[in-house]
Every structure is written in C-alpha cells, then in structure tokens.
Amino acid sequence: MAEWEFTRGAPPLRPPIVFDQQWRNVSFLHWPVEPSTITHLFPPGCRPDVVEGRSYVGLVPFHLRHAGLGRAGRIPYFGSFAETNIRLYSVDDAGRHGVVFCSLDTERLAIVPLARLLFGVPYTWSRMRVHEQAGGIWRYEARRRWPRRGLASTVSIRVTGPVEPTPLEQWLTARWGLHAVIRGRTRWVPNAHDPWPLHQAEVLELRDDLLAASGVAPTGDQLRALWSPGVRARFGRPVALD
C-alpha cells in the first residue's frame, strides 16, 4: 500500500496563496495509456506517473467558481466559468505527484492569456455549457473557438450514489500540484484541497474530439466514471525544479 499513501491528504501549502478557486460539478473519465507513448508530452524534469505498469489520461469537465488572485479576493464574472481538461499524471525526481495538462478549454477568452502566463498551462477558448437535468443527469458541452477551431466535446452522465474511491481512483483524483513550463523553466505549482466527495456515474453520452487531438491514445477500456459536487482549492507559489 505504500505507493498509494501520498494521496491520503494534501501536504501543507506554504504561503503565500497565489490563487483560490472552487471546482464544482466535476466529472472524471479515465483511460489507461502506455507510458512510453506519452513521455514526449511532459516538461523536462518530470515523467509519466505509473502504477502497476500503466499511466492514465483523464477527461475532466466541470464548473470553476469564485476564482481569486492572492489577497485580492474573487474576480467578478471572469472568475467563474465552465472548463474541460485533458490531463496526464506526472511525477518528478523529488517524488511530487501531479498533473500535466494537454489542454484546458474555457469559455472566458480573457482567462486564456492570463493562465498561460501565470501557470504555463495550455488554455484554449471554447463555447461551453454545463447544465443539470432531471434525474441526476449532468451534461457538458464544448466547441473550440481558438486554436484548432471546431473541436468538440459532449459528455452526459447520470449521477448515482456516493462511493468510496478505490486506491487507483484516489491516485487519479488526489493530486497536489501540476508540472508546467513557466518562463522557460519547468516548475511545480502546489495546490491543496479537502478529499473529493465522490459519486459513481453512468456515462449516457460521450462524443469527444479533445482526447484524440491531444495525441494520447488509450490502450484499454474506460474506468468507471466518477462525479463530485466539488471542493475548494488553493494554489501556492510555483517552484522551479532543480
């Protein structure tokens, strides 16, 4: 069980807090991938995180709410939006387990250059919609505006009862930072949040161009889908890898 222990709680986040936000109505869809096929997508100094010989790719649509910069407080209007991420799982030589983003689609154009500058992550601009339907159904829609206009993603899931995550699901969802190239250097951006309250979800519809566009090819069946009402997350200062 030692390889799972890092997921049990977020390490203490050293001040200052750079970014504060809420992740709401989050769906997690995952597939296994062969680690050797994705190594080229990782920044220098980190590599695919592997468990039992496999790494994974995630399709994660959600609402981002009440984002704020440092002590400035919440950002009106621009601090709340829909988002869909394609993400991989990373580890560096210091043993920090995080994520690497292939793409992050957002409906707020103004967020794209700001997030690329501050966090070095590949935000893109899309037309998006997240809405709840009767019977515990959540539907996420995205159509890319820039770059690679026209790429689309539609996910519809039905939320069922709460579940205890398996060790693998904890490994996938409890990630305490990201690796990204910021100002020419690979950096670790730490974050902290409470454990995810997770529910099992049934996929009713999945039509997605974003995963294929990332260049990542799954090598096995999709894992069970998960959904969460969300958590509050805080980000610390980026740290350069040695």
Side-chain angles (χ1 to χ4, degrees), residues 28-239:
F28 296 98
L29 283 70
H30 284 100
W31 295 262
V33 295
E34 169 57 44
S36 63
T37 66
I38 57 174
T39 302
H40 64 287
L41 299 173
F42 287 71
C46 68
R47 58 191 180 276
D49 205 355
V50 175
V51 62
E52 298 177 348
R54 290 180 168 181
S55 198
Y56 290 83
V57 60
L59 168 62
V60 185
F62 64 104
H63 273 130
L64 191 150
R65 290 286 182 259
H66 307 310
L69 288 170
R71 297 182 179 180
R74 296 176 179 177
I75 305 171
Y77 178 71
F78 293 106
S80 295
F81 48 85
E83 185 170 317
T84 295
N85 299 338
I86 301 293
R87 71 186 199 180
L88 300 170
Y89 296 89
S90 56
V91 64
D92 59 31
D93 289 341
R96 293 171 293 207
H97 302 261
V99 299
V100 166
F101 290 107
C102 298
S103 62
L104 305 92
D105 284 69
T106 175
E107 62 182 326
R108 295 281 188 260
L109 176 60
I111 297 299
V112 175
L114 178 64
R116 286 180 173 238
L117 175 65
L118 292 179
F119 292 108
V121 290
Y123 263 98
T124 64
W125 182 35
S126 295
R127 180 184 300 111
M128 307 189 74
R129 186 183 181 199
V130 178
H131 55 109
E132 184 180 13
Q133 300 173 328
I137 295 173
W138 283 89
R139 186 175 178 85
Y140 309 83
E141 300 171 338
R143 181 168 292 277
R144 183 77 59 81
R145 289 174 165 173
W146 179 92
R148 302 188 67 178
R149 182 181 181 89
L151 295 178
S153 179
T154 299
V155 177
S156 181
I157 59 105
R158 176 182 288 115
V159 178
T160 56
V163 294
E164 280 295 317
T166 66
L168 176 58
E169 289 166 343
Q170 284 189 331
W171 187 89
L172 290 166
T173 57
R175 291 277 153 167
W176 312 124
L178 65 94
H179 292 100
V181 176
I182 304 173
R183 298 190 297 276
R185 298 182 66 184
T186 303
R187 301 176 193 268
W188 165 254
V189 185
N191 72 46
H193 58 75
D194 290 337
W196 289 99
L198 293 170
H199 296 244
Q200 186 166 330
E202 175 191 1
V203 178
L204 304 178
E205 182 179 2
L206 175 58
R207 293 182 290 112
D208 177 75
D209 300 328
L210 305 180
L211 178 55
S214 73
V216 178
T219 55
D221 294 336
Q222 180 193 314
L223 306 184
R224 74 169 175 177
L226 298 170
W227 179 88
S228 177
V231 294
R232 177 188 178 188
R234 296 172 299 153
F235 287 83
R237 178 180 294 167
V239 178

